[in-house]
Amino acid sequence: MLSSWRRYADSHPHLVETAFLLLVLAVTSRQYVHGDLGWWPGQPLALAAAAGLVPRRRHPRAAVLVTAACAAVSVALGYLVFPLLLLPVLTALYELAVRTPQRTAYAYYGATLALVVPAALFFERNDQEWVDKSVGPVFWILLPVLAGTAVRSRRAYVDAVHTRAEHAERTREEEARHRVAEERIRIARELHDVVAHHMALANAQAGTAAHLVRTHPEQAQEILTHLTGTTASALRELKATVGLLRRPDGTDDPDDALQPPPGLARLPELVSAFGSAGLHVTVTVHGTRRPLPPGADLTAFRIVQEALTNVTKHTDAGTADVHLAYAHDRLTLTVTDDGGATPRPPGPGGGYGLIGMRERARTSGGRLSAGSLPQGGFAVTAELPAPPPPRDQPS
């Protein structure tokens, strides 16, 4: 029932406003019977006060001043100070408190008291008690100000809650898009590393086998055996990487869970694979070798893998050096080559290897630099975080 009346009021605002003003006029006019002047002399004041409420929403300050002036004149003429006589000014003050700051509402509250209370006290034309003329209006006129201020604060709180909810929703959407973009970049980087490394290695192994098949068939057969392992490894890593795209719910494949991500522990396997392609890799370690965090370990392996892949793709160098230097909290790895006799031109679609290595190093909290050496060749140097192992606690 209440909701139907509310819908009706929302669809007929002018009718509701007219009915409200007529009700205020009727209630206020009825109060003018309490006075020596009679009922009719107060009607112009009641009409003026009701008319002053018409623009109360657009001009609440003017409405307060008009209704307060009508109330002051009424009590000065000798009419009794009753709350219903002050109904127009109470309505105007409530609207003012709802629509203006609290300081403004209390300022107009004080101005209203300054008009009504002195007029009631100084023009003693009735026998009403002075308490009803002074103390009573202070509380009656204060009530709509407090109610309007509370409503305004409540509306501000609700608006703030809605604003925070909308901001949180936008933030969640932006965060989701950001995570999707990061995941897309990560998968693209993994695909690049897997495809570039294994295809370049397979191409080098196939070329070396084709060169040795007539003169050294035994070596060619051994290289072809390594080629089979290279392609099988490529297929496994491609399956693990692309399989992430086929599991939108984020569940893990039990078979993949048994295969840890590659790290520096697989460096001998990587060196052997490049050796079968004709690139002799020397690994030197300075300092005490220790396990790295999983992210940094994967990053270190991928940087070495990509750097050696670039050696086979862009030069005809026969040797490369991998140097691992363990400091207190850092690992510095350097991959260098002599450049070979005749550097090869970059292959089509290149240019993402160094970008990917820099992104990996930055994501792991490190940095990477790359450039040509003065004596010839190329060097890739990466610094990665390597927290020291925890000290043994005394028993």
Side-chain angles (χ1 to χ4, degrees), residues 41 46 106 127 157 185 243 274 291 298 312 327 379:
Y106 280 105
D127 56 355
Y157 171 76
I185 293 174
F274 279 102
L298 174 61
T312 62

Side-chain angles (χ1 to χ4, degrees), residues 290-293 296-297 329-331 361 363-367 383-388:
R290 60 180 181 269
L292 300 178
D297 199 19
D329 59 351
R330 308 288 291 179
L331 166 65
T363 302
S364 298
R367 58 182 179 177
E383 293 184 4
L384 301 174

Side-chain angles (χ1 to χ4, degrees), residues 277-290:
L279 178 65
H280 179 69
V281 181
T282 302
V283 179
T284 57
V285 179
H286 178 75
T288 303
R289 197 164 188 170
R290 60 180 181 269

Side-chain angles (χ1 to χ4, degrees), residues 159-323:
D159 292 341
V161 170
H162 288 167
T163 301
R164 287 196 297 267
E166 292 175 358
H167 176 71
E169 184 66 25
R170 289 195 300 269
T171 303
R172 282 195 295 269
E173 293 176 356
E174 293 173 359
E175 180 66 18
R177 288 195 294 268
H178 180 67
R179 290 183 179 181
V180 168
E182 285 187 341
E183 185 67 11
R184 186 178 299 161
I185 293 174
R186 188 189 70 82
I187 293 175
R189 189 188 302 129
E190 288 289 335
L191 287 174
H192 173 271
D193 290 345
V194 171
V195 173
H197 163 65
H198 289 96
M199 293 303 101
L201 188 59
N203 179 68
Q205 289 173 335
T208 304
H211 178 72
L212 297 175
V213 67
R214 294 187 178 180
T215 56
H216 300 83
E218 296 83 2
Q219 294 183 10
Q221 181 63 35
E222 182 180 356
I223 292 174
L224 290 176
T225 302
H226 286 292
L227 177 59
T228 302
T230 299
T231 55
S233 177
L235 290 175
R236 283 195 303 271
E237 294 197 30
L238 281 174
K239 176 186 175 183
T241 303
V242 179
L244 295 174
L245 302 176
R246 303 180 62 183
R247 296 194 298 272
D249 56 350
T251 57
D252 295 329
D253 189 345
D255 295 336
D256 294 340
L258 299 177
Q259 301 175 2
L264 291 181
R266 291 178 53 181
L267 197 56
E269 177 185 340
L270 186 67
V271 170
S272 175
F274 279 102
S276 66
L279 178 65
H280 179 69
V281 181
T282 302
V283 179
T284 57
V285 179
H286 178 75
T288 303
R289 197 164 188 170
R290 60 180 181 269
L292 300 178
D297 199 19
L298 174 61
T299 297
F301 178 83
R302 291 301 190 195
I303 289 176
V304 174
Q305 182 186 60
E306 179 64 23
L308 294 177
T309 300
N310 288 340
V311 173
T312 62
K313 287 172 61 178
H314 304 305
T315 72
D316 61 353
T319 60
D321 295 319
V322 177
H323 181 70

Side-chain angles (χ1 to χ4, degrees), residues 91-104:
T91 304
L93 280 171
Y94 172 80
E95 201 70 38
L96 178 72
V98 168
R99 299 181 181 275
T100 60
Q102 184 176 2
R103 180 177 299 180
T104 302

Side-chain angles (χ1 to χ4, degrees), residues 31 39 78 129 134 237 299 377 384 393:
Q31 304 309 306
W39 181 70
E129 296 290 337
S134 58
E237 294 197 30
T299 297
L384 301 174
Q393 300 294 332

